[in-house]
């Protein structure tokens, strides 16, 4: 199977995920600015989750540029990633409706952590197919962002039971380090190997 079909399927699922999230935003019951206040946590959770989904879509797009052929392992790893991404609307809605409670905040972090693990598994499946000297392997190097993210998510999950603001800060911080797509993949695809 060519990667075009895999990309199209992934793009479709991600578009549906974003659509589900935005449909969860409800119109306020009044026409005054004050009527927006109760919707604040839901809107903030939507914005953070939208940024996360957009980051995964963007990085997924860059990563799939390294793929020459799609194997069953890559297809299953990609489906695994889409599974965890598809849970983002659920955990987003839960934390948005109950921002004061630690369990929804922690489960949001579990969702982000498992999505990151699934992304790593997809990376490994691509590297296994393309080889250790392939462009993706050369590009990711030590993968400091991936390691830092895992530590950040684990800390945020635990801190949700101490102070939710620490968790929120870590979730936003982890999104910030991934906001700019990893340019090493493009450089390696163009033949410029970076250390």
């Amino acid at each position: 199977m060519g990667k075009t079909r895999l990309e199209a399927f992934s793009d479709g699922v991600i578009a549906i995920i974003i659509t589900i999230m935005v449909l969860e935003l409800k119109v306020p019951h009044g026409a005054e600015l004050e009527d927006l206040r109760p919707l604040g946590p839901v809107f903030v959770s939507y914005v953070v989750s939208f940024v996360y989904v957009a980051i995964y879509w963007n990085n997924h797009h860059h990563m799939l540029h390294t793929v020459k052929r799609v194997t069953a392992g890559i297809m299953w790893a990609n489906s695994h990633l889409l599974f965890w991404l598809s849970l983002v609307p659920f955990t987003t809605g839960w934390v948005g409706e109950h921002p004061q409670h630690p369990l929804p905040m922690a489960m949001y972090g579990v969702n982000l952590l498992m999505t990151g693990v699934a992304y790593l598994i997809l990376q490994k499946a691509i590297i296994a197919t393309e080889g250790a000297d392939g462009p993706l392997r050369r590009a990711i190097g030590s993968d400091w962002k991936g390691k830092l993210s895992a530590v950040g998510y684990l800390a945020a999950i635990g801190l949700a039971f101490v102070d939710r603001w620490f968790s929120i800060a870590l979730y936003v911080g982890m999104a910030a380090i991934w906001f700019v797509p990893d340019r090493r993949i493009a450089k390696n695809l163009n033949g410029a190997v970076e250390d």
Side-chain angles (χ1 to χ4, degrees):
M1 178 172 91
K3 67 180 177 182
T4 305
R5 189 165 181 214
L6 184 70
E7 287 174 312
F9 176 71
S10 300
D11 288 349
V13 171
I14 291 170
I16 291 168
I17 290 167
I18 290 172
T19 302
I20 291 169
M21 285 193 315
V22 78
L23 290 175
E24 289 297 315
L25 294 176
K26 304 300 180 202
V27 176
H29 294 293
E32 302 298 324
L33 193 57
E34 185 63 28
D35 296 320
L36 290 173
R37 185 183 307 264
L39 302 177
V42 174
F43 183 73
V44 169
S45 67
Y46 167 76
V47 169
V48 172
S49 293
F50 181 92
V51 168
Y52 266 107
V53 172
I55 287 167
Y56 274 104
W57 175 77
N58 205 330
N59 285 296
H60 182 268
H61 169 76
H62 280 76
M63 185 167 58
L64 286 185
H65 276 293
T66 67
V67 175
K68 304 265 188 301
R69 66 186 176 92
V70 175
T71 63
I74 290 173
M75 288 186 344
W76 280 111
N78 192 71
S79 295
H80 180 232
L81 172 62
L82 294 175
F83 169 77
W84 289 105
L85 280 172
S86 73
L87 290 177
V88 170
F90 171 75
T91 56
T92 298
W94 198 21
V95 79
E97 290 291 328
H98 304 285
Q100 306 293 338
H101 297 277
L103 186 59
M105 189 68 69
M107 290 308 294
Y108 185 76
V110 169
N111 190 187
L112 295 177
L113 174 65
M114 293 310 298
T115 305
V117 168
Y119 187 84
L120 176 65
I121 291 170
L122 178 57
Q123 260 185 355
K124 299 284 186 195
I126 292 170
I127 290 169
T129 301
E130 301 297 325
D133 60 337
L136 182 59
R137 179 68 197 112
R138 288 192 314 263
I140 62 171
S142 64
D143 193 24
W144 69 270
K145 285 203 250 185
K147 292 172 184 168
L148 180 61
S149 295
V151 170
Y153 296 142
L154 286 169
I157 292 165
L159 287 170
F161 296 96
V162 177
D163 187 333
R164 67 189 170 94
W165 291 107
F166 290 133
S167 291
I168 293 167
L170 282 169
Y171 297 145
V172 170
M174 294 304 99
I177 68 169
W178 286 100
F179 195 75
V180 175
D182 200 332
R183 292 189 167 105
R184 296 174 299 173
I185 292 175
K187 285 182 181 182
N188 275 285
L189 286 173
N190 292 329
V193 179
E194 188 177 287
D195 291 335

